[in-house]
Amino acid sequence: MKKNDQISALILAGGRGSRMGHVDKGLQPFRGTTMVQHVLERLAPQVGSIAINANQNLDAYAAFGMPVWPDETTGFAGPLAGLEAGLRHCATPWLVTAPCDSPFVPLDLAARLFEALQSQGADIALAVTQEAGMRKQPHPVFCLVKTSLLPVLSQYLLEGGRKMDGWYADLKVAEVLFEDSDAFRNINTLDELHSLDTARAPRLKDVVSCLSDYDPDALPVRHAQKIIGDFITPIRSVEKVALRSALDRVLAADIISPINVPAHDNSAMDGYALRGADLQADGPTTLKVISTVFAGRPNDAAPAAGECVRIMTGGVMPAGCDSVIPQEHVAAISDTEITIDAGAIRTGDNRRFAGEDLKAGSPALRKGKIIRPADLGLLASLGIAEVPVQRRLRVAFFSTGDELRSIGEPLDAGCVYDSNRYTLYGMLTRLGCDIIDMGIVRDDPQALEDALRNACENADAIVTSGGVSVGAADYTREIMAKLGDVTFWKIGMRPGRPLAFGKINSNGNSAFLFGLPGNPVAVMVSFYFFARNALLTMMGAEAPLPLLRVKSSGAIRKKSGRTEYQRGILSVDANGQQQVAITGSQGSGILRSMSEANCMVVLHDEMGNVNAGDMVDVMLFEGLV
Ligand code: AMP
Ligand code: MG
C-alpha cells in the first residue's frame, strides 16, 4: 500500500480502561510489545504522520516518539473528544483514526477509506464489515475524516452529543466493506488480551506437567480430555444478530430482562375474576357480573363486594380481584349473575402474577447458552430484537491417505472411498461451525505442510483424519510437529488409540489441531469424546455431554484398564424399561454398525465384563449436537 502524506493518523488511547480494571489499554503488553505499538506499526506505512490521543500516562505515550494530544472537551467524553483534539491539531487535510486496542488494524485502512471518500465525494469514510448472512457492522472508530469538519464535531460535543456514530448524521458518509472482521476486533478485557497473547499462552508441556503420571503412550481418556480442556482457549469475537439468526448460536452475554413477564397480573383461565373474601365457606356464593375483560383490552372495572368480572385468559386482573373461577366450574350462570358452590376454588387460584415468569432486571439467559427454540421465544417475550452471539468457529478439515478416493473417481485396486470427509462434515455442521472442507491430502510432506498452513491461516481449528498412527507412509505426524506445539498420544481406548493434539502456527496465525485416527468409526468416537467439547469451549458454549444410565440387555466383554466405546441400540423392553444392546461387529472400520446404532455405550477404564442386567452409561446420538 502506498503511503499517503496528506493523511495523518490518530490513535485513540484516551479511555480510562474501566473494563480492563482501570489499566491503560494502550500500554498493556501484547505479543512482545505494547498494544499501542502494534497499532503504530500497522499505521506507520500508511500515513504521513501519527499522533496519539491519551488522557493519562502522557509520558509513557510520549516515549513512542509521537505527539500526544489529550482531550480538550473535559470529563473523558469518549472517543469523539479524542477525534476533536486530533482534528484541532492535525496539519493535513485528512485524519484517519484507529483505537489503541486494535492490534490487527488493516494495513490498507487509510488507502481504502481515502479512495472511497474521494470517489464518492464524501466528508467521512468508515470501515464496515459483514459476516455471511449478518447485518453490516459499522466501525466508526476506524474512520477517515476531512480535517475541515472540526466545527461540526465541536458543535455536536458542545450540545452534549457523545455517540461515535451520531455526529456525522448530516454529513455524507462513504462506507467501505472490509473482508476480515477480525482485523477490527478490539480487545476489551484483560482476559481477552491474555487469551490472544500467544506469548502468554500455555505450552502443552506446561499443561501436561500438571499430571503426575503422564505417559503419552498410555494415556487414560480422562487425562487426554483434561489436557485438551486446559489447553484450549475460547475465541472472543462477538456479533449482534437478528433474533431468528440467533438459533443454535452461542449467547455471548447474559440477557437481563428489561421488563416483567407477564407485565401485569392476569387470568390463567377463561372465567370470572373475583375477590376471594367474597367466597362463602359453607354455602353457594352469588356474585353480580359487572363487566367483561378481554386479553389485551384492560378496562377500569373495579368490582365492589359481591361483584365479579367476566375475564378471558390473559386478561388483566381487575382492581381488587385476586382469584379467577374457570367458567366450567361455575354452578349457574345468567347474563347478570353467577353462582359458585362452596369449595369450587380457593383464593388466589388461576391468577398469574406480574413478573412471575421473569422479573425486570433478573437474568433471563446466561452467557454460553446455545440458543434453542424456547430461548428464541423467551427473547421475543422480552421484546429483544437483536442478540449478542459468539462469532461462528471456523474449522478446516481434511482426510489424509494415498489410498483414499473421492466420490466420482474410479475405485482403484486397494483403494477406499473417503468417508471421513462426510462424517466430519456432518458432525461439524451440526455443531454449528463454519466449515472449510479441504478434501483429500496425499501422504506427501509438501502437500501436508501446504494444507496445514493453509488451514491454519484460515481457521480457528483444524481436524484431520488418518496418518497419526505409526504407519510407514504417514508423514502427518512429522509435519504437524514441525509446525507447532503438537503432541501424539496413544490413548487407552477402543476404538481410536492414536490422537494428535496441539496448536500449530503459520505466518503469525495459529489454530488448534485435532489429528484424529483414520478408521471411520475411530474418527467419530474421537470427535465426539475429544474434539466436540474442545470446539464447544472454543465457541464459548457450555454444553457438557450428557450420559444416561440404562440396563444392558446382554453381557458385554470388556477389558479393564481402557475405555471402550461400543455401538449400541437403545430400546424399550417388555416392561417399558429402557435397555441397551450392543450392535453386532464392533470393528473400528465398520461404519455400518455405527449407522445402525442409536447410541454409544461408554465402558469406563475401571470396568471389566458387563453382565446382562448391569447398568451402563450411554450417549445418545440424537440431540447430541
Ligand atoms: P491411518 O490412520 O491413516 O493409518 O488409517 C487407518 C485406516 O483408516 C486405514 O485402513 C485407512 O484406509 C482408513 N481411512 C483413513 N482415512 C480414511 C477416510 N478418509 N475414509 C475412509 N477410510 C479411511
Ligand atoms: Mg493413512
Side-chain angles (χ1 to χ4, degrees), residues 241-250 371-372 376 379 387 389:
V241 298
L243 182 54
R244 283 193 181 89
S245 310
L247 183 63
D248 291 338
R249 301 291 299 272
V250 179
I371 299 173
R372 303 294 185 209
L376 285 188
L379 290 163
V387 188
V389 295

Side-chain angles (χ1 to χ4, degrees), residues 243 251 254-263 355-366 374-387:
L243 182 54
L251 194 59
D254 289 351
I255 300 287
I256 304 299
S257 178
I259 54 171
N260 274 325
V261 181
E356 179 176 293
D357 290 354
L358 213 47
K359 289 222 167 7
S362 66
L365 290 174
R366 290 289 188 187
D375 306 318
L376 285 188
L378 178 60
L379 290 163
S381 74
L382 304 179
I384 292 174
E386 281 198 324
V387 188

Side-chain angles (χ1 to χ4, degrees), residues 399-401 403-404 416-421 465-469 471 474 498 516-520:
S399 308
T400 67
E403 77 282 23
L404 302 180
V416 292
Y417 282 122
D418 174 8
S419 57
N420 293 345
R421 179 179 188 177
S465 74
V468 288
S469 54
D474 289 331
L516 309 185
N519 273 313

Side-chain angles (χ1 to χ4, degrees), residues 207-500:
V207 174
V208 301
S209 68
C210 300
L211 295 172
S212 54
D213 47 355
Y214 175 68
D215 176 1
D217 290 327
L219 194 66
V221 165
R222 61 176 190 287
H223 284 185
Q225 288 169 333
K226 167 136 182 32
I227 295 169
I228 294 173
D230 288 349
F231 191 62
I232 283 285
T233 47
I235 55 163
R236 296 180 193 265
S237 220
V238 176
E239 60 195 2
K240 280 210 155 188
V241 298
L243 182 54
R244 283 193 181 89
S245 310
L247 183 63
D248 291 338
R249 301 291 299 272
V250 179
L251 194 59
D254 289 351
I255 300 287
I256 304 299
S257 178
I259 54 171
N260 274 325
V261 181
H264 309 276
D265 288 10
N266 69 82
S267 172
M269 302 295 268
D270 292 330
Y272 295 84
L274 51 84
R275 304 145 52 101
D278 285 346
L279 295 169
Q280 304 291 325
D282 43 9
T285 306
T286 296
L287 300 172
K288 187 174 163 210
V289 183
I290 60 160
S291 174
T292 301
V293 171
F294 293 94
R297 275 189 275 155
N299 66 29
D300 52 10
E307 294 179 342
C308 69
V309 168
R310 185 159 180 245
I311 194 164
M312 306 304 150
T313 306
V316 173
M317 287 295 278
C321 293
D322 53 16
S323 321
V324 172
I325 177 148
Q327 76 195 19
E328 56 273 26
H329 293 174
V330 176
I333 303 179
S334 76
D335 283 348
T336 53
E337 273 185 4
I338 59 167
T339 302
I340 303 169
D341 288 339
I345 60 160
R346 284 167 309 176
T347 298
D349 279 359
N350 304 312
R351 169 198 194 175
R352 296 183 189 140
F353 286 95
E356 179 176 293
D357 290 354
L358 213 47
K359 289 222 167 7
S362 66
L365 290 174
R366 290 289 188 187
K367 177 180 169 171
K369 188 160 203 299
I370 298 179
I371 299 173
R372 303 294 185 209
D375 306 318
L376 285 188
L378 178 60
L379 290 163
S381 74
L382 304 179
I384 292 174
E386 281 198 324
V387 188
V389 295
Q390 301 279 2
R391 87 154 157 75
R392 280 187 200 279
L393 194 69
R394 281 194 281 274
V395 183
F397 66 103
F398 59 83
S399 308
T400 67
D402 283 340
E403 77 282 23
L404 302 180
R405 292 293 175 271
S406 295
I407 305 178
E409 288 177 356
L411 201 56
D412 302 326
C415 291
V416 292
Y417 282 122
D418 174 8
S419 57
N420 293 345
R421 179 179 188 177
Y422 295 88
T423 36
L424 281 172
Y425 160 84
M427 293 187 292
L428 288 167
T429 302
R430 282 205 163 178
L431 207 54
C433 304
D434 263 350
I435 54 170
I436 306 175
D437 179 349
M438 299 177 63
I440 298 172
V441 177
R442 281 172 299 119
D443 281 324
D444 164 73
Q446 194 57 51
L448 280 164
E449 177 165 347
D450 290 349
L452 283 170
R453 284 188 179 279
N454 188 353
C456 179
E457 286 168 32
N458 290 292
D460 306 301
I462 307 166
V463 180
T464 67
S465 74
V468 288
S469 54
V470 278
D474 289 331
Y475 297 101
T476 319
R477 290 169 59 115
E478 182 189 324
I479 304 300
M480 285 177 174
K482 174 178 161 188
L483 293 180
D485 189 12
V486 181
T487 178
F488 300 90
W489 290 326
K490 288 199 191 89
I491 300 181
M493 65 188 282
R494 226 175 97 110
R497 243 156 66 86
L499 188 80

Side-chain angles (χ1 to χ4, degrees), residues 111-178:
R112 290 198 54 204
L113 293 180
F114 186 67
E115 199 278 321
L117 186 125
Q118 292 292 73
S119 66
Q120 298 179 31
D123 301 306
I124 163 166
L126 56 93
V128 300
T129 53
Q130 185 165 32
E131 300 230 339
M134 306 296 162
R135 286 178 335 126
K136 265 197 295 193
Q137 181 129 23
H139 302 282
V141 283
F142 296 84
C143 67
L144 178 78
V145 186
K146 276 191 193 162
T147 311
S148 58
L149 291 175
L150 173 63
V152 181
L153 177 57
S154 295
Q155 186 58 31
Y156 179 77
L157 282 166
L158 203 65
E159 287 165 5
R162 292 293 180 264
K163 283 177 67 179
M164 199 58 208
D165 57 357
W167 76 278
Y168 52 74
D170 299 326
L171 300 176
K172 185 161 166 44
V173 179
E175 292 190 338
V176 181
L177 186 66
F178 283 80

